[in-house]
């Protein structure tokens, strides 16, 4: 993006945010040039661009005024999944997404990988190097089934920020949040049972349900406030739901933070229908807001919430260090942990514990929040600029994932196949539905480096989407004419 | 053990092995003193000890002669488990064993932990230190779902020694052999299915069956030749057995290596009844014999064998680096791997791959075989010396596990509780049965350091066993007198 495009983007953001209202006079070219340290001609180019986009209108001898603007894409509305428990499909698509992960030529716009390039990660290497030099045989040995105690102590300490009063004994270390979710699901459900999930929801959770023969009832979910509690209540009344899996903080894929009142209401519902809540907080630490949002676990008085998380999104996924606070399901969770992997790799647990203990975690998280928030501003600018009209885009409140909804008839699976030649890969929406809905949606990772290569990819993606939308409209027209 | 006790032990070994036959004259005191570089009085003390044990008889002016000796304990006979599929119990005992693992004051005679103190492990530290210094962000990232390709290449190369022709693509890396077994079991079975297992067998496998709602049919197993194929055939005819789980090489806990002809016969049976074989080879590299014994997988032509292993017993369990060669079940295994832990920790996989690639693995394994074989000689000497008569002891052909069978009425669970005050812990036999059989058996780890502390523990254990056996006999007598 050039300088003038950036400025145009910034101005359109301000218009969107209501800082400049419809009909209001915009700052003069000279004022803006001074304010932003750019040349007069850059400002003029920016204004021209906004004029072309019909966001502003020139008034001879008076400057520029805010017009009825090309608005920021709206957020996606409440989703409408199937109203009955279904068996999960889509494994082949998940496998395809995972397989392309290893192709370094392909830009992984669809991945859930955090930015691993920040200097605040450096102490982690130092700690690991020192550990190797010490040659402590204990690091080569199995540690406790519940995990390294130094790690569990630090996890308990960090959990205070999310409102939880946990002790090290309340925590079981796992091989990533993936294992935490998997053993939690198996601890509270048997094959044939029904679990309620947000729709869309993380494909890993969904595939776990499939693997254990558990059916999912997908609950309509709003991209701003989260799971519809009204729909959940109806589902509870109609089906014997054993547990609810939710990602209430920086939801994957929608990015919302569930308001506290709704968290309370969800817990009350679970109590009323005596269901467990499996709370996936893996992106929770990456919320923009400070202090970070509370977990449902922090409100839990009767141990029915199993809080699952990891250091995969905040530090590094390759460490596979996760954890679960299983509440009253501890015994079953321990058994499931034992049969799943025996115990968790020892060294990575010690490395993470030491990283947190030495005080590197706070500064790192603060930096990552800033990085992702800045990235989001730029990415959403790019999406607005390069994508066609008629799309909805989520407004994440943390994390690094963005959800784009295209018109109903759009086929993102086909698009993703076409994108292969461009060496771009997105996560298609159908991965996030039990029954393959949301084929018209995409999930993008804005944690990727902000550079020309990424911008070019978004531009190419936007163009491909535009082309596919045109083709799709033509097909619809054709189909309509055939029917008539 | 003092010098003279050692010599006595050595001589009794030779008597046992038939090197000195019954009635044969033993070497003179002077000859032995020269041969072993010990004093005349040491030899005399040794001969006195053997005389006391009635192993040798003095003939005035002629020296010592081999007497009708206190023989080496016999090996346990064929086991006799329940003849029907059962649901698995014993989780509480397993948990107790695992929990005591972290108490460094307790001598872990019951653990499955290898010797981690040998200098041939040192290059592993060096490799890890260098990896940390290089700060390659790739090591912090997820790797492929199937595992790091450098690791899979080395695993495929090592598998040649067990007769397997595998390529890197045939292998899926896992979080230890534990996960390999777990995902293999889930890949070939559904809840309610039946799996045949050796009896006794590894408690981890058994608990996995329990966790997934699979029933076990325990097959009688001989401590020298392995699972009774005759009994297995009968079981196949009677029950719809989906798979057989076996540890044919350096069996856990019995230590046998199944003869090759029986491996072939087992595979033929599985083919005839169209069952899968889940082969746990985690101790296979530690066989005394050279070249190492083949796996059943090496004979498998139709991909029905899922070969599971890891570097936990050969290198270090804390790395949690294992693998499975799933044959024709690859797709299901991959799905189960995904829902179990997502992917395996990246750095440990690279470290192991590099350790093998640099050529450190061969020398390390050769050393560990020697260490364990020497340890076994000394341990079995101690057991013979300190344990009462009337016991059976397995003759492991590799690995570091020894199985001791005490008289039928003996209660090892009660013994283990009493041992707590002595800070000793054994693995009680009932852990290795689906239904809690083998309460009269113990599993010992002779991979522990050979020193006074360990010897003292074996002496204390032997004394405790003797006392318990006496008490047990008294109780039986009492019970009999009450009945009469």
């Amino acid at each position: 993006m050039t300088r003038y495009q950036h400025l145009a983007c910034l101005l359109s953001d301000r218009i969107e945010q209501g800082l400049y209202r419809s009909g209001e006079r915009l700052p003069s070219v000279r004022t803006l040039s001074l304010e932003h340290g750019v040349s007069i001609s850059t400002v003029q180019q920016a204004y021209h661009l906004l004029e072309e986009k019909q966001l502003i209108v020139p008034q001879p001898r008076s400057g520029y005024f805010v017009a009825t603007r090309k608005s920021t894409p709206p957020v996606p509305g409440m989703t409408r999944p199937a109203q009955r428990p279904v068996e999960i499909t889509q494994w082949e698509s998940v496998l395809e997404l995972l397989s392309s992960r290893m192709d370094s030529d392909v830009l992984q716009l669809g991945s859930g990988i955090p930015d691993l390039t920040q200097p605040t990660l450096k102490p982690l290497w130092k700690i690991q190097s020192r550990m190797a030099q010490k040659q402590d045989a204990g690091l080569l040995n199995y540690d406790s089934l519940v995990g390294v105690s130094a790690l569990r102590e630090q996890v308990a300490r960090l959990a205070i920020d999310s409102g939880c009063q946990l002790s090290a004994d309340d925590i079981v270390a796992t091989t990533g949040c993936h294992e935490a979710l998997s053993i939690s699901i198996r601890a509270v459900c048997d094959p044939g049972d029904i679990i309620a999930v947000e729709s869309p929801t993380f494909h890993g959770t969904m595939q776990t349900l499939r693997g254990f023969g558990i059916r999912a009832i997908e609950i309509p979910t709003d991209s701003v406030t989260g799971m519809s509690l009204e729909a959940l209540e109806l589902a509870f009344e109609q089906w014997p739901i054993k547990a609810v899996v939710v990602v209430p903080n920086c939801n994957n894929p929608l990015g919302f933070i569930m308001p506290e009142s709704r968290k309370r209401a969800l817990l009350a519902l679970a109590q009323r229908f005596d269901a467990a809540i499996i709370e996936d907080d893996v992106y929770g630490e990456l919320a923009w807001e400070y202090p970070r949002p509370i977990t449902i676990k922090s409100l839990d008085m009767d141990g029915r919430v199993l809080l699952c998380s990891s250091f995969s999104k905040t530090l590094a996924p390759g460490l596979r260090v996760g954890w679960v606070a299983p509440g009253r399901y501890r015994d079953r969770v321990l058994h499931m942990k034992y049969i799943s992997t025996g115990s968790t790799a020892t060294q990575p647990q010690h490395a993470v514990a030491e990283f947190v203990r030495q005080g590197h975690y706070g500064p790192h998280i603060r930096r990552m929040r800033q990085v992702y928030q800045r990235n989001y501003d730029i990415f959403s600018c790019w999406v607005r600029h390069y994508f066609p009209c008629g799309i909805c885009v989520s407004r994440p409140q943390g994390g690094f994932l963005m959800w784009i909804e295209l018109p109903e008839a759009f086929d993102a699976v086909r698009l993703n196949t076409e994108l292969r030649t461009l060496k771009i890969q997105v996560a298609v929406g159908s991965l996030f539905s039990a029954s393959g809905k949301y084929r018209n949606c995409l999930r993008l990772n804005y944690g990727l480096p902000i550079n020309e290569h990424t911008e070019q990819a978004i531009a190419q993606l936007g163009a491909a989407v535009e082309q596919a939308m045109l083709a799709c409209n033509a097909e619809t027209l054709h189909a309509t004419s055939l029917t008539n």
Side-chain angles (χ1 to χ4, degrees), chain A:
Chain A
M1 213 178 237
T2 60
R3 198 166 285 188
Y4 80 89
Q5 285 171 325
H6 252 299
L7 182 59
C9 220
L10 184 99
L11 291 170
S12 73
D13 272 350
R14 290 188 179 172
I15 291 169
E16 181 210 335
Q17 288 156 13
L19 294 174
Y20 303 133
R21 270 159 306 170
S22 200
E24 189 179 337
R25 190 205 305 249
L26 288 157
S28 73
V29 171
R30 204 154 155 265
T31 311
L32 277 186
S33 151
L34 286 170
E35 195 181 314
H36 292 277
V38 295
S39 69
I40 294 283
S41 77
T42 299
V43 180
Q44 281 169 333
Q45 278 179 296
Y47 272 160
H48 275 297
L49 188 63
L50 294 173
E51 193 187 336
E52 265 174 31
K53 291 188 170 181
Q54 303 179 331
L55 279 172
I56 60 173
V57 189
Q59 296 281 5
R61 272 188 293 264
S62 302
Y64 285 91
F65 289 78
V66 178
T68 318
R69 54 198 170 77
K70 178 191 177 181
S71 62
T72 302
V75 297
M78 182 75 81
T79 58
R80 286 181 303 150
Q83 295 290 305
R84 58 178 200 291
V86 291
E87 281 176 19
I88 288 106
T89 56
Q90 308 302 317
W91 165 238
E92 284 66 30
S93 316
V94 174
L95 195 57
E96 199 185 307
L97 176 73
L98 296 172
S99 307
S100 70
R101 196 160 73 181
M102 293 316 295
D103 188 343
S104 56
D105 287 347
V106 173
L107 192 72
Q108 308 291 334
L109 281 169
S111 81
I113 300 168
D115 178 345
L116 298 167
T117 63
Q118 299 299 322
T120 44
L121 269 179
K122 279 199 191 294
L124 189 62
W125 293 113
K126 219 172 196 170
I127 287 164
Q128 295 196 74
S129 167
R130 256 188 230 142
M131 272 168 44
Q133 276 155 22
K134 269 172 86 181
Q135 307 200 356
D136 170 6
L139 295 177
L140 295 181
N141 205 343
Y142 296 107
D143 203 279
S144 160
L145 177 61
V146 293
V148 166
S149 87
L151 175 77
R152 290 179 291 115
E153 274 160 28
Q154 296 305 326
V155 166
R157 212 165 58 76
L158 291 177
I160 296 170
D161 292 343
S162 72
C164 284
Q165 286 202 317
L166 297 172
S167 79
D169 290 339
D170 297 322
I171 288 156
V172 177
T174 58
T175 307
C177 188
H178 220 106
E179 191 183 40
L181 288 167
S182 181
I183 64 181
S184 295
I185 288 169
R186 269 303 276 130
V188 301
C189 283
D190 289 311
D193 282 348
I194 302 171
I195 276 190
V197 296
E198 290 149 337
S199 182
T201 199
F202 171 47
H203 46 78
T205 299
M206 214 82 91
Q207 292 303 321
T208 302
L209 300 185
R210 175 192 164 105
F212 293 139
I214 295 165
R215 283 171 302 159
I217 173 123
E218 298 174 280
I219 306 297
T221 299
D222 182 75
S223 74
V224 177
T225 58
M227 183 185 266
S228 160
L229 299 181
E230 300 69 28
L232 179 64
E233 188 173 358
L234 282 174
F236 264 129
E237 279 163 2
Q238 204 171 354
W239 311 99
I241 294 169
K242 278 279 190 72
V244 188
V245 181
V246 275
V247 192
N249 293 321
C250 314
N251 177 271
N252 174 9
L254 292 177
F256 61 78
I257 293 174
M258 206 177 191
E260 200 175 310
S261 59
R262 297 179 67 81
K263 286 175 180 161
R264 285 183 197 279
L266 173 58
L267 181 61
L269 263 183
Q271 280 168 328
R272 199 173 118 207
F273 291 95
D274 196 21
I277 293 179
I278 299 171
E279 180 177 23
D280 175 354
D281 189 53
V282 77
Y283 292 93
E285 302 264 290
L286 297 173
W288 314 150
E289 67 184 50
Y290 182 83
R292 59 147 292 173
I294 63 160
T295 51
I296 301 174
K297 177 79 178 175
S298 72
L299 308 168
D300 178 31
M301 289 298 151
D302 54 0
R304 68 175 64 246
V305 180
L306 301 99
L307 178 61
C308 301
S309 192
S310 81
F311 293 90
S312 295
K313 307 302 177 186
T314 48
L315 283 181
L319 298 167
R320 312 306 298 124
V321 175
W323 54 274
V324 51
R328 66 183 182 196
Y329 305 99
R330 189 168 190 274
D331 289 352
R332 295 257 310 155
V333 160
L334 266 190
H335 190 250
M336 291 303 151
K337 167 63 192 170
Y338 177 60
I339 71 170
S340 168
T341 53
S343 55
T344 309
T346 309
Q347 233 162 316
Q349 290 184 73
H350 279 287
V352 170
E354 197 54 18
F355 186 87
V356 182
R357 198 192 61 79
Q358 290 182 7
H360 303 298
Y361 187 74
H364 174 67
I365 284 296
R366 280 195 291 280
R367 186 183 182 98
M368 295 321 294
R369 283 184 194 137
Q370 282 168 5
V371 165
Y372 294 135
Q373 199 162 7
R374 191 206 55 177
N375 277 19
Y376 167 68
D377 287 342
I378 296 169
F379 252 75
S380 56
C381 226
W382 287 344
V383 166
R384 214 157 48 230
H385 188 72
Y386 294 116
F387 272 58
C389 291
I391 64 173
C392 298
V393 182
S394 66
R395 301 273 190 287
Q397 297 173 263
F400 47 80
L401 302 171
M402 181 187 276
W403 181 257
I404 299 180
E405 193 181 293
L406 305 164
E408 195 70 32
F410 192 90
D411 187 351
V413 179
R414 200 158 80 183
L415 172 79
N416 215 14
T417 315
E418 289 162 12
L419 288 174
R420 268 187 217 150
T421 53
L422 297 173
K423 301 279 181 196
I424 298 172
Q425 173 256 33
V426 297
V428 297
S430 47
L431 297 178
F432 302 86
S433 157
S435 52
K437 271 188 74 96
Y438 312 125
R439 271 179 92 97
N440 61 323
C441 299
L442 314 174
R443 191 193 70 179
L444 299 187
N445 178 340
Y446 56 79
L448 294 175
I450 296 298
N451 56 32
E452 275 181 25
H453 182 205
T454 311
E455 184 181 358
Q456 195 199 353
I458 297 290
Q460 288 176 315
L461 176 60
V465 165
E466 184 154 26
Q467 209 158 17
M469 269 168 70
L470 288 173
C472 168
N473 286 341
E475 271 175 36
T476 316
L477 274 178
H478 183 63
T480 318
S481 70
L482 281 180
T483 339
N484 293 349

